[in-house]
Amino acid sequence: ILVDKRIIPSEEVLVCDILPEWKDGCENKVTIKHLLTMSAGLNRRSGTRGILPQENMNLYVQNVELDTLPNIRFNYSNESVQLLGLVIERITGMSANDYFRQVLFEPLGMKATRLGKDPIGNDIVFGGATTTVEDASKIGLLMMNNGIHDNEQIVSESWIKKSISPSEKASYYGYLWWLDNNSENKNYAATGD
């Protein structure tokens, strides 16, 4: 939506232009697209090394170091999605939950949906949202209808197509969507927490 509204010129923008405090991301020229496609160079982290036990998840990701150079390989990372949340917050001047509510939840009538919070109150963007089956189905319908809900274009059709196209490093992953292009009926899914 931020790209559709030209608030961000494209997903090729350097994360450093928005989050200069993420030093490793700046030094390695990580883009928003790298975060969207899980090719930023962050490995999946578990235990005390990962984001889950962190009291301040935003501070943690602002200091996270890359495991590899960007665009080397696909590696799913909760930290990448939390960084995207910080990008949204920095650009909009709103909490991620408030921005999602304004541009997605309210327009779709998702009255029971909200993001979780870390122990100090930061919005958790990578998982753990509270929702209902009915609300979640509205995201599926939005995708099936190429970004249109009640005759209103919420997300551009071109972004929908781009987000469910295979990424450069993983034919089974787009922009935060898992892809199944090998089945008789190609499909995509938002699997996880």
Side-chain angles (χ1 to χ4, degrees):
I1 291 172
L2 291 170
V3 172
D4 288 342
K5 292 182 176 190
R6 292 180 173 65
I7 296 168
I8 299 175
S10 81
E11 64 272 34
E12 300 294 344
V13 167
L14 292 174
V15 176
C16 190
D17 291 348
I18 302 158
L19 299 175
E21 61 270 39
W22 183 35
K23 303 245 182 282
D24 220 33
C26 291
E27 290 170 11
N28 290 287
K29 298 183 174 27
V30 175
T31 65
I32 291 172
K33 185 175 182 178
H34 290 137
L35 297 175
L36 288 168
T37 61
M38 300 294 164
S39 62
L42 293 166
N43 292 341
R44 186 166 188 103
R45 295 160 191 248
S46 59
T48 58
R49 191 171 166 261
I51 195 170
L52 291 175
Q54 304 303 319
E55 189 168 315
N56 184 337
M57 293 180 181
N58 287 349
L59 181 62
Y60 170 77
V61 295
Q62 288 175 34
N63 293 296
V64 73
E65 293 182 4
L66 300 182
D67 298 293
T68 66
L69 293 173
N71 212 32
I72 299 292
R73 67 174 183 261
F74 170 90
N75 207 329
Y76 189 87
S77 159
N78 289 332
E79 290 78 8
S80 290
V81 185
Q82 192 67 21
L83 281 162
L84 286 168
L86 274 175
V87 166
I88 291 166
E89 290 183 349
R90 186 65 54 84
I91 287 174
T92 65
M94 301 171 75
S95 72
N97 189 73
D98 287 348
Y99 189 69
F100 288 176
R101 178 154 310 290
Q102 178 183 310
V103 300
L104 195 62
F105 302 160
E106 286 179 2
L108 295 179
M110 298 172 68
K111 295 178 179 151
T113 302
R114 68 183 181 286
L115 299 181
K117 302 230 180 251
D118 73 9
I120 70 157
N122 294 314
D123 288 338
I124 300 173
V125 182
F126 63 86
T130 300
T131 192
T132 64
V133 172
E134 184 179 348
D135 274 11
S137 71
K138 292 175 181 182
I139 297 291
L141 290 170
L142 181 72
M143 294 297 290
M144 286 175 49
N145 292 319
N146 294 313
I148 296 173
H149 174 75
D150 281 346
N151 295 318
E152 183 182 348
Q153 193 79 47
I154 306 294
V155 181
S156 70
E157 183 175 353
S158 63
W159 185 266
I160 299 287
K161 286 186 169 134
K162 211 185 283 191
S163 69
I164 58 173
S165 296
S167 63
E168 185 181 324
K169 299 299 173 193
S171 62
Y172 48 86
Y173 202 78
Y175 288 2
L176 304 179
W177 290 97
W178 293 94
L179 312 176
D180 179 1
N181 291 315
N182 296 321
S183 296
E184 182 179 335
N185 298 304
K186 293 181 181 182
N187 62 82
Y188 51 91
T191 58
D193 278 341

